[in-house]
Every structure is written in C-alpha cells, then in structure tokens.
Amino acid sequence: MSGTAQIGVSGLAVMGRNLARNFARNGFSVAVHNRTTSRTDALVQEFGDEGTFVAARTPEEFVVALERPRRLVIMVKAGNPTDAVIQEFAPLLEDGDIIIDGGNAHFEDTRRRERELRERGIHFVGAGISGGEEGALHGPSIMPGGSKESYGSLEPMLEKISAKAKDGDSCVTYIGPDGAGHFVKMTHNGIEYADMQLIGEAYQLLRDVAGYSPAQIADIFRSWNTGRLDSYLIEITAEVLSHVDAETGDPFVDVVLDQAEQKGTGRWTVQIALDLGVPVSAIAEAVFARSVSGHAALRAASRHLEGPSAHKLGEDEAAAFADQVEQALYASKIVAYTQGFHEIAAGSEQYDWNIDLGEVAAIWRGGCIIRAAFLDRIAGAYEAQPQMPSLLADKSFAEEIGAAQDDWRAVIATAVTRGVPTPAFAATLAYYDSLRAERLPAALTQGQRDYFGAHTYRRTDREGTFHTLWGGDKTEGES
Ligand code: NBP
C-alpha cells in the first residue's frame, strides 16, 4: 500500500523538524515520524498550518503514508541510531524506494549501508546537510551521494528546499556514488574548524597584541566582512564579539569558559587525511587547538611557564597591525581551503567518485556554515581548470597570497615574539613555504632511514633505488 506524501522525515529533533517544515513550506506533502511520538504531535500542532503534514505514529504508518518510489529522510543521531532506524524501515520498503540519511554519518558507514541496501533493491543516499537549524528551515547547502538514478528522483525537491547562491543557483548538486556526499560534508566541517581557528587567532592577536576591546574587534570584523573576507563566519564573529552578557554587563566572550568542544567531524577529516596521505595541517591544528583548550588541568599546571615580556601597541601601530592581520587571515584561509580541496580530490580518486571540485565550491556559496564570497572564485578557478593540482596553482590566488605574504610573515613573527599561540596561521605559512621550497630536508630524512633501517633512497642524478653500506667501507650499491 502506498499513500500520497511526497517525502517523509523521520527524526524530528531540531534538524529534522526544520527540514520537514522546509519541505512543507515549499509545497511538498510531508509524512513526519519520530521514535518519541510527542515530538511528532508537537510539530503538527505548532506548524501544521505551514503546509501538508501527515503524522505517523509507527514505522508502518510512516511507510504507508508515502507515494512510490518512497523517499524517506532520516534525521536521527549519527551512528547506531541510524542503523537502528534503517533496520526498522528497510523490511517495510519495496524495490526502488529511497532512504536518505541527512545526518552527519561517517562516509565509511554510508558506503556500507549503501551496499547492504542496494543488495535489497533499496537506494541509499548519504546527504550531507549544512547550515544548522536555521539552514534546515530556510535553505541548507545539500551534498547528496548515492546512485544517480535516486538523485534524479530527489533533485527537483532538493533544489527547491536548498539555499540559493547570489546568482540564484541552488546549493545542491549530485556529488558522487555511495559515501561521496558524506565525505564532502565531513571535509566541509574540517574546513569550518580551520576557518574558525584562524578567526580565533586573528581575534586573539587583535586583543593581546593590539590591545583592542571585543567591541572594537567586532567593528574590525564588520569592516573585513565588506571586503574579500566576506563570509558567514566573519559576520557571526562580529555579532558574538559585540554581545554583552546580560547578567554581568561584561563582554560575552569574557564570561564564556575558554574550552572548545567538538563533535567529531573535524577529527574524522584529519584521520582520513592521514590515511590518504594529504597534508591538512590547518584542520589538524584547529582540532588540536580545541583539544589543548579542553585540557584544563594541564593548562592550570602550566601557568608557571615563562613567556616574553609583553607591551601593547600604540594607537597608530595597532591600526596598521590590524591591516596586517587581515592579510594574514586571508592568506591562511586560502591555504586552509587549498588543503581541504586536496583532501576531497584525494578521496575522489581513492574511491572512484569523480567529484567535481568546482561544483562543490559552488554549492558551498550559500546555506552552509563556510559560505563565503571567495567560494565564487574557487568555483570559477576549478571551472576554468578542472584538473588543477592545487588551488594555489590558480594564478589569481597565487598572486593574492604572494601580495599578502610580507604581512602574513610579520604577523606570525609578532605572534611568536609576543608569545601568542597561532598554530593555524603558522602551519598554513609553513605549508606554503614547503610547497615553494626548492629543496626540503626530506633528503636527510631518507639518509637517516637508510642508515638505521636500510630503507633505501632514490637519487637526483640517476634512476633506481639505492642503499649505502653505512660504517664499514661505505660503498654504495643499487638494490
Ligand atoms: P540529534 O542528533 O540530537 O538526534 C536526536 C534524534 O535522534 C531524535 O529524533 C531522536 O529520537 C532520534 N533517535 C535517537 Br538519539 N536514537 C534513536 C533510535 N535508536 N531510534 C530512533 N530514533 C532515534 O538531532 P539533531 O541535532 O536534529 O541532528 C540530526 C542529525 O543531523 C544528526 O546526525 C546530526 O549530526 C546532523 N546535523 C546536525 C546539525 C545541527 O546543527 N544540529 C547540523 C548538520 C547536521 P527521540 O526524540 O525519540 O529521542
């Protein structure tokens, strides 16, 4: 038996509830279901007049309410709950029906689920959804992975509910087979970690070196947001910095415990990058920085460690320093995105996903947390040169970063001499310098490896693999 609801959403916490409302507001009839039925009732009671909802109390009622092929969006906690819900629904489904997992699943789980469900004739779409609860309601950026056929059935609906970029394009595109969508969403979150860390370092420099107050720094971020750094994260940074705690009257940032939390997607991005051999140092430093911040006891036990004597800058110096920090932030941001796109390219190659990097940049222009004006340019750069080995191969980004480099270096040097930690600024500059270096100390590393473990090395002047007989007569042999 099948019903008339065009789409179903199961899992009605903040994300699922708002996504269901988004479908309904866009004219689609939506079957809604949640393990705890009070959430279903509350949704229909509060927002029933926004569109056509069909409340389902059981998985059976939910499935029967849907037109064929059935399209079921699962928005439950990632991990075991997702498997539990799939186990409940799958036996009730028929050939060609589609389960869409909109949660933050690990892409390897998505690959497994897609394989298992495909064997049962059911399509499984792992769709990364970014934009938080506001995005889910007003238009998120959507990164669907799965069979092309199932995307065809979902495309018109997803295009309607997704965010729109400034040129009106929908922020959704088919990413690739099985886990491709969740992989791209994971990397999006990794880049988000790096972006937030870089902004945090810029803030701390403006505060501790330039001596600006949070309200003054908010104004600086507001002015940056009118230029090339124009982005959602810069915009909300200004809002957070200008917010005053109602109880104490102090700046909000001064009453919040400085221990950052994380849910795991940043860590996954780094773990996978290690497996793929991709240097994502900006993301790794961001994950580590959150980890350091959370080690309260370790930090408390380290207060005796000496730092340099500090003096704040004068007014003119501070203004000039703020301009330099803008240059540093922009240069580091280009590197962070370069690294993230490298990871997507490497994942695409490893898993045969054929991901279009320009399209990924294009659907991140609206709705998602890292939406930013300069993603337009990244999209354009990949469109012009789809096989570009790195974003830094793009002439205009290379020129911009080249123009920023003096200030970038000066800011990091100042941070080092003043004892202000800027791990992501420093890591991105080191990456840039590593790429442009004619010779890296890796030759010495190879010599050491050959010395202690006979690991062999290759030479600059001849083909082949060599091993030196260290000690003894030191003759060189080809292995
Ligand atoms: P949560 O991640 O807090 O999950 C709560 C939902 O999962 C509730 O509907 C709950 O049902 C259901 N659930 C759980 Br927990 N265990 C279940 C089980 N064994 N069987 C059936 N249902 C179960 O919700 P959320 O914050 O709305 O996020 C939903 C998904 O979207 C997550 O994967 C999240 O990572 C992802 N996401 C969240 C955001 C965000 O900004 N929050 C952004 C992007 C993506 P109950 O009501 O019966 O307990």
Side-chain angles (χ1 to χ4, degrees), residues 242-258:
S242 56
H243 188 62
V244 171
D245 178 52
E247 264 176 56
T248 60
D250 290 332
F252 170 80
V253 280
D254 288 348
V255 299
V256 175
L257 198 64
D258 62 339

Side-chain angles (χ1 to χ4, degrees), residues 11-16 34-36 39 75-78 81 84-85 102-104 129 132-133 185:
L12 302 174
V14 282
M15 289 296 286
N34 194 69
R35 179 181 59 176
T36 310
R39 279 201 208 264
M75 283 306 281
V76 300
K77 204 176 180 68
V85 172
N104 272 338
I129 298 184
E133 53 180 305
K185 171 65 182 1

Side-chain angles (χ1 to χ4, degrees), residues 112-229:
R112 169 180 56 79
R113 290 168 184 147
E114 196 275 336
R115 201 172 45 242
E116 289 168 2
L117 287 166
R118 186 165 10 107
E119 281 164 11
R120 301 165 74 164
I122 299 165
H123 294 285
F124 185 70
V125 172
I129 298 184
S130 177
E133 53 180 305
E134 279 300 296
L137 183 59
H138 300 293
S141 172
I142 310 177
M143 297 149 249
S147 68
K148 260 229 143 119
E149 186 191 340
S150 56
Y151 184 68
S153 161
L154 298 170
E155 189 174 10
M157 301 177 100
L158 296 184
E159 288 202 337
K160 208 122 191 234
I161 66 148
S162 65
K164 306 292 170 287
K166 284 205 175 106
D167 60 5
D169 282 357
S170 293
C171 291
V172 58
T173 190
Y174 174 68
I175 301 286
D178 57 77
H182 276 141
F183 187 97
V184 166
K185 171 65 182 1
M186 172 193 77
T187 314
H188 163 283
N189 286 22
I191 294 173
E192 175 187 312
Y193 270 59
D195 215 337
M196 290 169 69
Q197 174 64 21
L198 290 168
I199 290 172
E201 291 176 16
Y203 154 72
Q204 189 152 12
L205 286 165
L206 293 173
R207 188 112 196 235
D208 293 354
V209 176
Y212 287 122
S213 68
Q216 288 173 312
I217 301 171
D219 285 341
I220 292 171
F221 275 99
R222 264 186 209 107
S223 75
W224 289 354
N225 203 38
T226 61
R228 60 191 180 171
L229 283 169

Side-chain angles (χ1 to χ4, degrees), residues 117-394:
L117 287 166
R118 186 165 10 107
E119 281 164 11
R120 301 165 74 164
I122 299 165
H123 294 285
F124 185 70
V125 172
I129 298 184
S130 177
E133 53 180 305
E134 279 300 296
L137 183 59
H138 300 293
S141 172
I142 310 177
M143 297 149 249
S147 68
K148 260 229 143 119
E149 186 191 340
S150 56
Y151 184 68
S153 161
L154 298 170
E155 189 174 10
M157 301 177 100
L158 296 184
E159 288 202 337
K160 208 122 191 234
I161 66 148
S162 65
K164 306 292 170 287
K166 284 205 175 106
D167 60 5
D169 282 357
S170 293
C171 291
V172 58
T173 190
Y174 174 68
I175 301 286
D178 57 77
H182 276 141
F183 187 97
V184 166
K185 171 65 182 1
M186 172 193 77
T187 314
H188 163 283
N189 286 22
I191 294 173
E192 175 187 312
Y193 270 59
D195 215 337
M196 290 169 69
Q197 174 64 21
L198 290 168
I199 290 172
E201 291 176 16
Y203 154 72
Q204 189 152 12
L205 286 165
L206 293 173
R207 188 112 196 235
D208 293 354
V209 176
Y212 287 122
S213 68
Q216 288 173 312
I217 301 171
D219 285 341
I220 292 171
F221 275 99
R222 264 186 209 107
S223 75
W224 289 354
N225 203 38
T226 61
R228 60 191 180 171
L229 283 169
D230 173 4
S231 63
Y232 173 69
L233 282 172
I234 294 279
E235 178 191 328
I236 66 165
T237 299
E239 293 303 308
V240 174
L241 285 171
S242 56
H243 188 62
V244 171
D245 178 52
E247 264 176 56
T248 60
D250 290 332
F252 170 80
V253 280
D254 288 348
V255 299
V256 175
L257 198 64
D258 62 339
Q259 295 175 21
E261 296 182 2
Q262 47 185 314
K263 281 199 172 162
T265 39
R267 190 167 53 234
W268 290 349
T269 313
V270 179
Q271 284 168 340
I272 304 304
L274 291 173
D275 291 340
L276 292 171
V278 181
V280 291
S281 50
I283 302 169
E285 289 298 352
V287 173
F288 286 139
R290 290 197 193 188
S291 163
V292 168
S293 77
H295 279 284
L298 180 63
R299 290 172 63 195
S302 307
R303 298 268 147 73
H304 64 287
L305 298 174
E306 264 187 49
S309 54
H311 74 271
K312 300 247 156 88
L313 302 179
E315 224 170 273
D316 287 352
E317 285 175 310
F321 183 67
D323 289 344
Q324 288 186 312
V325 173
E326 191 270 346
Q327 299 274 1
L329 180 54
Y330 188 65
S332 289
K333 187 174 160 121
I334 293 174
V335 171
Y337 281 67
T338 298
Q339 295 180 341
F341 276 92
H342 185 182
E343 180 158 352
I344 295 174
S348 178
E349 197 174 321
Q350 172 79 15
Y351 297 101
D352 230 354
W353 284 329
N354 203 17
I355 296 176
D356 183 328
L357 299 181
E359 285 281 294
V360 170
I363 64 161
W364 286 350
R365 289 176 303 159
C368 68
I369 304 296
I370 63 170
R371 60 185 182 261
F374 99 135
L375 278 160
D376 237 344
R377 294 189 38 223
I378 298 182
Y382 276 115
E383 204 178 303
Q385 300 179 73
Q387 301 310 323
M388 198 164 54
S390 153
L391 197 51
L392 294 177
D394 177 73

